[in-house]
Amino acid sequence: MSAIIIDGKAIALKTRLDAAEKAKRLSVMPTLAVVLVGENPASLSYVTGKEKALSEAGMGSRDIRLPADTTEDALLKLIADLNADATVHGILVQLPLPRHINEEHIIEAIDPKKDVDGFHPVNMGKLVLGEDCFIPCTPHGIVVLLKEIGIETKGKHAVIVGRSNIVGKPLLNLLIRKNINATVTLCHTGTQNLPSYTRQADILIAAAGSPGLISGDMIKEGAVVIDVGVNRVEDATAKKGFRLKGDVLFDEAVEKASYITPVPGGVGPMTIAMLLQNVVQAAIL
Ligand code: NAD
């Protein structure tokens, strides 16, 4: 069996065009403040990608770049100003932040109505309760991907590897919503005998940040495999000196799965597409 490779770029494009259409119908230009502290190269490329996507969708971005030694107080002051600025609908602080800044303090300072990442405890709490809220973009993108390719989720066993606040935990809460109705197992570093769980998965979502963690023998024949991992693996033969690798050994998994997302070109583009949707939503609120 050779899996169908899910075209995340194509589904993301459709989602982006939909966001652009919604934005066009508004009387204001949805605008996102994008705050980057320091010069982490991966963060810089994520921020640039998000700003380009906003502009292509006819939305605005306020690009705010701060030096790595910015104090927590200065960043909190900036957040307060952006909260009060009616021309800014969404606020995105690119993570990770430099170590001397407490990420929780910063996330909690963002007005939940402008929290387009969906990381604020108010939005997370609403997600758990099944209420309307900003849903974190990566897990939301995964759910949209599954829906767009017509994967049946009701009654299926979804196994997530990774319990982070930005992927694993919100995804668990989305997948157990009644309209999705999956049964979910969440694995993490404390899980013993990981393969015994992954082999039970009808839908396997790898979000561990560990390149090649999921080998072919850990996948049930015919499973849907969603690879969230984006790992920079050193490679002297690559132009940039590294290659992006997923958490799944693609060449092995493709022989076992029915559907699989590639890295890059799978979940990544969906994350940006869902961000655009959240920015439009923030402008409507
Ligand atoms: P994280 O480091 O915060 O969390 C990783 C989780 O995986 C942890 O909860 C840990 O318990 C678990 N884990 C790690 N190794 C494991 C192992 N060997 N067995 C079982 N569990 C294990 O990472 P994150 O921020 O959730 O990101 C995960 C991966 O997804 C990273 O590669 C990241 O780059 C990628 N990511 C991609 C997107 C995207 O848009 N495509 C978005 C966010 C994160």
Side-chain angles (χ1 to χ4, degrees), residues 46 138 161-164 166-167 187-189 194 207-210 213 228-231 247 267-268 271:
Y46 290 142
T138 302
V161 184
R163 61 177 153 192
S164 73
I166 66 168
V167 188
C187 301
H188 45 76
T189 42
L194 181 64
S210 176
L213 174 69
V228 187
V230 180
N231 307 292
D247 287 353
V267 174
T271 297

Side-chain angles (χ1 to χ4, degrees), residues 7 37 64 80 151 165 174 191 210 216 230:
D7 188 347
V37 184
I64 303 167
I151 301 294
N165 291 343
L174 279 177
T191 299
S210 176
V230 180

Side-chain angles (χ1 to χ4, degrees), residues 10-12 14-15 141-151 270:
I11 300 168
K14 187 176 160 204
T15 311
I142 292 168
V143 167
V144 171
L145 265 188
L146 294 173
K147 202 168 154 214
E148 285 287 327
I149 50 178
I151 301 294
M270 288 306 294

Side-chain angles (χ1 to χ4, degrees), residues 11 23 40-41 211 248 268:
I11 300 168
N40 177 322
V248 175

Side-chain angles (χ1 to χ4, degrees), residues 41-118:
S43 294
L44 191 61
S45 92
Y46 290 142
V47 160
T48 313
K50 289 168 187 173
E51 289 174 344
K52 185 164 167 273
L54 284 161
S55 143
E56 285 170 5
M59 298 191 224
S61 61
R62 179 104 42 101
D63 182 43
I64 303 167
R65 308 258 166 119
L66 301 171
D69 61 358
T70 301
T71 64
E72 185 173 310
D73 281 350
L75 189 53
L76 287 169
K77 168 80 174 65
L78 171 72
I79 303 285
D81 290 345
L82 294 171
N83 282 341
D85 185 338
T87 64
V88 168
H89 306 101
I91 301 170
L92 182 149
V93 179
Q94 184 64 46
L95 302 178
L97 289 167
R99 276 174 186 211
H100 65 276
I101 300 177
N102 181 318
E103 283 184 358
E104 278 174 26
H105 293 170
I106 302 303
I107 291 169
E108 287 175 22
I110 296 172
D111 181 343
K113 289 196 182 70
K114 297 190 177 189
D115 169 40
V116 290
D117 264 335

